[in-house]
Amino acid sequence: MFQDELWNSLLHAIELVKENEDCLVYNVVNQEDGVSKVFEVLYDKKLDFVSCICKKFESEGIPCTHMLALFKKLQISFMPNIYILKRWTKAAKLERVMDRDGVEINDCSNKSILLRRTKLFQLASNVIDKVVLSEVASEIVIENLEDALEKVKLVMESCRSEGVLEKNSGMQQPHFNEPLQVRAKGCGKRLKGRKEKAKEKAKGKDKGRRCNGCGLVGQSHDKRNCPLLIKR
């Protein structure tokens, strides 16, 4: 959705129509649209905030084409954080979710633990990358990590005794059953038509035909034209 608005903003022309101490007013028009509808975009100097008459940002939470056209006009290379709502960020679903009574929903508690775990891994990885080439620095990190591990053990034991560990802290690995074996379409023998089946059936009868004259099976003759009887 945002990409569509961004691409459409390149097709719009913008013009300053009013300016005072508090705000700037711009008119935004689509250059390729046959119907030249004008959209008014307001820039509040005191609040440092842009709003458009179409109210797309207020209703859908996405900066509209006209606002993006103004950002381009003002040479704003990066989207200000005020226009990036929390629901569009990657961390929107990783935080704890509370119900109306302020009680944490347990289904989402594991996600907060995963987020914390990810941060710890990133920090540890950055430290390792910086000290791996230095033996002295590596020894310092190892020594501090061992001390930290001992302190963490004491804290965890204290938390267990007091019963203040977070619920659902044990993350269970999901179990997946093997999928059912399904025969793929088109595999194996092909389907045969009625004519082909009739021919094979006739060939099968010929193979099983028995001559009453010579007693042989699978011959192309019968008693009337049996070579053995003709010779006699």
Side-chain angles (χ1 to χ4, degrees):
M1 293 184 292
F2 176 76
Q3 290 181 346
D4 295 336
E5 300 294 331
L6 181 61
W7 282 111
N8 291 333
S9 67
L10 303 177
L11 306 177
H12 286 68
I14 186 168
E15 179 184 3
L16 178 63
V17 294
K18 183 180 179 181
E19 181 178 5
N20 54 37
E21 296 180 357
D22 298 329
C23 65
L24 299 172
V25 180
Y26 294 86
N27 283 344
V28 182
V29 183
N30 191 335
Q31 295 175 328
E32 296 188 356
D33 192 0
V35 181
S36 58
K37 187 175 181 179
V38 179
F39 290 88
E40 189 176 90
V41 180
L42 174 68
Y43 172 64
D44 194 315
K45 296 180 180 179
K46 294 182 178 180
L47 300 178
D48 193 20
F49 186 78
V50 176
S51 61
C52 179
I53 194 174
C54 72
K55 300 298 180 182
K56 186 179 183 69
F57 177 71
E58 288 78 2
S59 60
E60 299 183 16
I62 300 175
C64 64
T65 298
H66 320 108
M67 294 172 61
L68 296 176
L70 178 58
F71 293 157
K72 180 185 175 184
K73 177 74 174 180
L74 300 177
Q75 297 182 350
I76 299 177
S77 303
F78 298 93
M79 179 69 64
N81 292 332
I82 192 173
Y83 304 106
I84 304 176
L85 300 187
K86 184 178 179 181
R87 59 185 171 184
W88 304 123
T89 60
K90 293 182 178 180
K93 296 182 179 180
L94 297 180
E95 295 186 358
R96 297 186 180 185
V97 179
M98 303 291 182
D99 59 12
R100 295 180 179 179
D101 299 328
V103 180
E104 180 183 353
I105 300 176
N106 293 331
D107 292 341
C108 299
S109 61
N110 282 346
K111 295 181 180 179
S112 63
I113 295 174
L114 288 174
L115 179 61
R116 188 186 312 155
R117 187 171 182 267
T118 301
K119 290 181 178 179
L120 291 173
F121 266 114
Q122 291 177 348
L123 178 59
S125 179
N126 292 334
V127 173
I128 292 172
D129 291 339
K130 291 182 179 180
V131 306
V132 69
L133 298 179
S134 173
E135 185 176 355
V136 177
S138 299
E139 291 295 334
I140 295 175
V141 172
I142 293 173
E143 183 180 352
N144 283 274
L145 285 177
E146 291 176 349
D147 293 340
L149 183 59
E150 294 299 327
K151 294 179 181 179
V152 168
K153 289 180 180 179
L154 295 176
V155 172
M156 297 301 293
E157 291 177 359
S158 175
C159 291
R160 288 192 183 95
S161 61
E162 296 176 3
V164 295
L165 287 179
E166 294 183 12
K167 296 180 180 180
N168 296 333
S169 59
M171 293 178 292
Q172 299 179 354
Q173 295 294 332
H175 175 71
F176 299 98
N177 295 325
E178 290 293 332
L180 298 176
Q181 295 294 332
V182 180
R183 188 176 180 180
K185 184 178 180 181
C187 71
K189 296 181 180 180
R190 64 182 180 84
L191 298 177
K192 300 179 180 179
R194 288 183 297 175
K195 293 183 178 180
E196 189 174 0
K197 289 181 179 180
K199 289 181 180 180
E200 291 183 356
K201 188 176 181 180
K203 289 181 181 180
K205 288 182 178 180
D206 291 340
K207 290 180 181 179
R209 179 181 295 179
R210 182 178 182 275
C211 177
N212 293 327
C214 61
L216 299 176
V217 180
Q219 303 297 318
S220 60
H221 63 270
D222 54 16
K223 185 177 180 180
R224 293 174 297 176
N225 54 3
C226 179
L228 184 61
L229 296 179
I230 293 174
K231 288 180 182 181
R232 291 178 182 179

